[in-house]
Amino acid sequence: MSVDIKTETVDFDGKSALLVTVKDGSCIIGTCSMGCVEQSGNLSARLRMFYIGSDPVLNLICPSRANKQSDKLVSFSPGFQGYDIKINDALTNSFNRLNNGESLGSGLRDVFGLLGDGVYTVYYSDYYPTDGNGNFYWGAYNISHEVHGTAEHNRAIGDREYRPCFLLPTQPMDYFAPRVKVGIDEQVKTRRVQGIAYHVSGLYSALLKGHHGSVFCVENNIPFRCAVIEKITEPYVERKPRPTVSAPPAGEVDPEAPNAAEQLDAEQTPAENPDDGIDNAGINGITGFRSPSVKIPLYAFPRDVLKQLIESRTEFKPPHFNIMAAKLLTTRRKSINNNAMPRSVLERAEQMPDCEMVESAYAIDELTDEQLNCLLRGEVECNGKLIVSPNFYSSIITACSFLQFKDPKRFVDFSIAIMESPELSAAHEYVARRVASQTSNSKVFNFFKTVSESNDVKYDKIHFIAQTYVRRLSQK
């Protein structure tokens, strides 16, 4: 049975999204649950896997019975040795078609045929080729470890829309070859699209095509632009304010009117949940369906697309599930890490935005100087409104991350002001480590030089960081 693929652009709320409906897909690329996994004697963890063909590629251990607010432990699967040449040809063909000027809908058609049944949204977006913590992504997942930002429901961002921007590899580090990189360097300079990515979880997507090109992009400060495929699976509800119905003024109720009793009850009986301001009708139904980057209301979906969306399962076991399960037991030979990368690539990856910075950029709309001054005074509210969070330490962390991402100059000024305040000593070490990434800022260097030469007790927590920073830059 051949796969049925339909693409359609929908418009809603002044925005638009390209939707792709896949029916009778081949299930060559996707994710599925592998059941319980024992982790230090705890059986509450669930194993979720990203696969290509009949090969497990990425293992995601989901703690707390796969709680969607918990970050995952991610590792490259030891059973993966590379995927079938026909799959590689389909990815390469789509990649070339996109760079030859074809649209997302037609250029990625070969890739759509590799997906499982469901509804997807497709778009272009820039990615940081890191693991979200300053490490180049390709060799960063050899050992299973918790990766911040992999939770489906991000606590910092909440229910807002966001675009995934960090990468997971789908090729072993063994595949990296300097001669291959040199061969494509000139091609990368003229490409419209640098990669094809499939969203896996939270802020992270698996890179299907473009690994060697990502090395050159990082080395030469070229934006790593990807065509991104996201599966739309989750319903969402937007509760709207309940319209207020005023009761008639006291004394103006006609006792002979047929609904006089109801009018008196409306006047004398307080409304249920008077301070929630929520239309309870919104709880009984859903507003629409979403993926991380887009929320699409029900009215915007074409009838056949909505039918496919409702009938398709979020995740299911592909036909080759048992083969993949057997391959999970494979023991891989010694893994190669990022030390095989050029030093300049690793240094530039360290300077890229990290997960906390991206989270704060989506969680906060703006921070005024007045709000920052309130935080410096130890207050979490400004003009009666919450600035970031009721937790002061969390507010400081999020504010620093936001400023570092959006406004480096104000970030430096705010960070130094925090470290100058003995009352904020609990945040000194975190802020010092974050501002130490500003290696070309003379104001930071002069401040840390002063700290390293000072014996003031208010600098105790950052004295070692300051000395290390000054020594490292003085040796350059």
Side-chain angles (χ1 to χ4, degrees), residues 25-30 51-55 87 113-116 318 320 324:
S26 57
C27 299
I28 299 297
I29 295 175
Y51 61 87
I52 297 179
S54 60
D55 294 292
I87 301 174
L114 303 177
L115 306 178
H320 40 271
M324 293 190 297

Side-chain angles (χ1 to χ4, degrees), residues 280-439:
N280 290 328
I283 299 175
N284 299 324
I286 64 172
T287 306
F289 287 87
R290 68 167 298 174
S291 65
S293 67
V294 67
K295 291 181 177 179
I296 304 178
L298 290 176
Y299 70 80
F301 285 102
R303 194 179 192 86
D304 58 336
V305 175
L306 187 58
K307 182 175 184 293
Q308 176 72 16
L309 184 60
I310 295 172
E311 291 180 349
S312 299
R313 301 178 65 179
T314 302
E315 283 187 349
F316 51 89
K317 294 179 180 178
H320 40 271
F321 176 83
N322 291 334
I323 299 175
M324 293 190 297
K327 289 184 178 181
L328 282 176
L329 303 176
T330 303
T331 302
R332 185 174 173 78
R333 60 182 181 273
K334 184 178 179 181
S335 298
I336 300 175
N337 59 27
N338 274 330
N339 290 334
M341 288 287 127
R343 183 62 190 171
S344 58
V345 172
L346 303 183
E347 291 176 347
R348 292 188 186 279
E350 290 178 356
Q351 303 303 316
M352 289 185 173
D354 60 26
C355 189
E356 289 184 358
M357 293 167 63
V358 173
E359 286 177 341
S360 66
Y362 285 111
I364 303 175
D365 294 322
E366 66 171 350
L367 279 177
T368 65
D369 289 340
E370 184 181 10
Q371 290 174 322
L372 294 180
N373 289 332
C374 288
L375 289 176
L376 291 173
R377 292 195 298 268
E379 302 169 5
V380 296
E381 293 186 358
C382 180
N383 297 326
K385 293 183 179 180
L386 199 64
I387 301 172
V388 178
S389 164
N391 183 286
F392 177 70
Y393 183 71
S394 175
S395 297
I396 289 289
I397 290 175
T398 307
C400 283
S401 299
F402 175 83
L403 293 174
Q404 186 176 3
F405 190 69
K406 294 285 189 178
D407 193 339
K409 182 180 182 303
R410 293 173 72 210
F411 164 65
V412 170
D413 294 339
F414 182 62
S415 299
I416 291 177
I418 291 173
M419 292 183 286
E420 288 282 13
S421 172
E423 291 79 10
L424 303 180
S425 60
H428 282 190
E429 185 174 356
Y430 171 84
V431 172
R433 292 189 184 282
R434 186 162 281 282
V435 82
S437 64
Q438 309 293 308
T439 55

